[in-house]
Amino acid sequence: MATKKNNTIKLKFDSARNLAPAPESKSAAKIDPQYDLFINGKFEKPSGKKYFPTINPATEEKLSMIAEANTADVNKAVVAARTAYDKTWKKMPAAERAKYIYRIARMIQERAREFAIIETLDGGKPIRESRDFDVPTAANHFFYYAGWADKLEYAFPNRRTEPLGVAGQIIPWNFPLLMAAWKIAPALACGNTVVLKPAENTSLTALKLAEIIQEADLPPGVVNIITGAGATGAAIVNHADVNKIAFTGSTEVGKIIQRAIAGTNKKATLELGGKAANIIFDDAPLDQAVEGVINGIFFNQGHVCCAGSRLYVQESVFKEVVRKLKDRLETLIVGDPMDKNTDIGAINSKAQLDIINKYIRIGQQEGAEMYQPSCAVPKKGFFCKPTIFTNVAQSNRIAQEEIFGPVLAIQSFRTDDEVIEKANNTPYGLSAGVWTDKGSKIFNLTTKLRAGVVWANTFNKFDPTSPFGGYKESGYGREGGLQGLSAYVNIIENR
Ligand code: ADP
């Protein structure tokens, strides 16, 4: 219903939106009771015979048991990758390598529905997100890098490249399939072989990808997917025969990895935490900006390293933007991730929910003003209402530290210089967003914001052709695009 007030149209939303449930069926997804390690083209039992459960965070039900790889298993996987590198993959004509990568891309597309359902069951993100973003973007990465495999001479003109060897790849739980695609596709295209470890909370889609890799007839050992927690990841990092580490995860673990590889000749790309600033100027299309802010921090439960978790609004439109945000929050549906209407799904784990709740308490203790919409959240499972804080000081922990949840800290600003200083006042530098009608302002800010990606009048947009990565404690190296290739080759200058 629309009512007119002070010459502005105010939309009144029905908080429940009165939508009938539209659940996705689980029947298209086959989940085995137990998963083994994918080494040298075969699924193998872990040598320590240990398995750990993976649960559905929306229901707390066990989905499957996952093998825990120990040092001996890691070694087996690295030996398989090295052998495949020396004997097969490195020698294969690039156009042949490309065919395998295209095949993986097409098979992901064919099984897209199954991937989306499993991603949502295992990780808690809304099915809309897995279906419309994660899975198609993962397939697109394989398509994109398949195209580069036999064209590296155009990517690096007048120079020669050679692959690095065995790439150890460690990924987090927020985009399990997509992160696997980000890492595996460019590595293979450049002629490397891979040992990949998904996060312990979300191994299932990586293991489904292993099934595809097996069906695609990729030569054994070219891609090995082993599961386990931090100790398994550390064993990959510390293995003497791994030439490159590609890691996405926390800044804390990124620092451990950096220390572990210091003094070795292992190459590394580290994509770590973030505390992105979204900046709204008074000349911005405000409704569009508010939608971008919601998309940037709430639609993925804030489980995105580039999430727009800080919002800076120009003073003259501050009240209006906060009101619009609150109105929009009232319309968001928090709940069953398998329901196609759901906007905010489950928090990935109990441990993560505890961290988010801790920060919500800290925000209140620091004197910030909290607002949560009136929506109900399911009693079972790990859920968190979208939360915004106003009255936030720049030094507050909720404005400085990564929360990795649906929590937004809002501050006002007056001038360009002031907001640039505030936005850059963080140890991180992964991404930022600028909302304004003026191209000149966009150019001014994009050159001065210390962030790897700056979105203008949009947020959280991804494309395989665009590089992504950070500054400062957000890590180094770029993934995606042409730049993502250079992370997987030695470049030899022609003299
Ligand atoms: P998050 O906070 O997103 O869970 P982590 O950095 O803890 O991020 O985890 C990201 C990935 O790193 C996961 O696959 C995890 O198992 C792995 N990991 C955790 N500790 C280590 C470590 N010491 N060395 C290598 N990998 C690790």
Side-chain angles (χ1 to χ4, degrees), residues 27-47:
S27 61
K30 184 175 155 289
I31 300 178
D32 294 339
Q34 181 174 302
Y35 283 91
D36 292 323
L37 308 171
F38 184 66
I39 298 177
N40 208 23
K42 293 193 294 285
F43 284 92
E44 287 197 9
K45 301 228 168 298
S47 54

Side-chain angles (χ1 to χ4, degrees), residues 216-235:
D217 248 344
L218 209 73
V222 171
V223 175
N224 305 274
I225 296 183
I226 56 174
T227 42
T232 311

Side-chain angles (χ1 to χ4, degrees), residues 170-173 197-200 228-231 233-234 237 247-250 253 256-257 352 404:
I170 297 165
I171 58 174
W173 46 258
K197 189 194 87 62
E200 53 272 34
V237 170
F247 172 78
T248 300
S250 60
V253 174
I256 295 174
I257 292 177
Q352 188 58 33
F404 226 68

Side-chain angles (χ1 to χ4, degrees), residues 281-332:
F281 284 94
D282 58 6
D283 57 11
L286 295 186
D287 289 315
Q288 194 185 323
V290 165
E291 204 49 36
V293 170
I294 296 277
N295 172 36
I297 180 70
F298 297 125
F299 276 177
N300 212 340
Q301 300 77 247
H303 290 346
V304 193
C305 15
C306 54
S309 52
R310 294 181 295 156
L311 174 62
Y312 294 99
V313 186
Q314 201 154 25
E315 205 169 72
S316 50
V317 291
F318 184 82
K319 277 198 183 135
E320 190 180 354
V321 167
V322 172
R323 179 183 56 74
K324 282 175 185 286
L325 266 172
K326 288 181 178 174
D327 284 350
R328 183 67 176 97
L329 283 192
E330 277 299 325
T331 71
L332 294 181

Side-chain angles (χ1 to χ4, degrees), residues 178-191:
L178 182 57
M179 288 296 119
W182 270 32
K183 299 225 168 351
I184 295 175
L188 296 188
C190 294

Side-chain angles (χ1 to χ4, degrees), residues 337-366:
M338 288 291 275
D339 191 320
K340 290 165 202 150
N341 297 319
T342 295
D343 298 305
I344 302 180
I347 300 302
N348 184 264
S349 66
K350 167 87 171 52
Q352 188 58 33
L353 180 59
D354 290 345
I355 291 172
I356 298 166
N357 284 333
K358 180 191 84 181
Y359 274 105
I360 290 177
R361 282 194 300 276
I362 288 173
Q364 290 168 299
Q365 285 157 8
E366 285 178 321

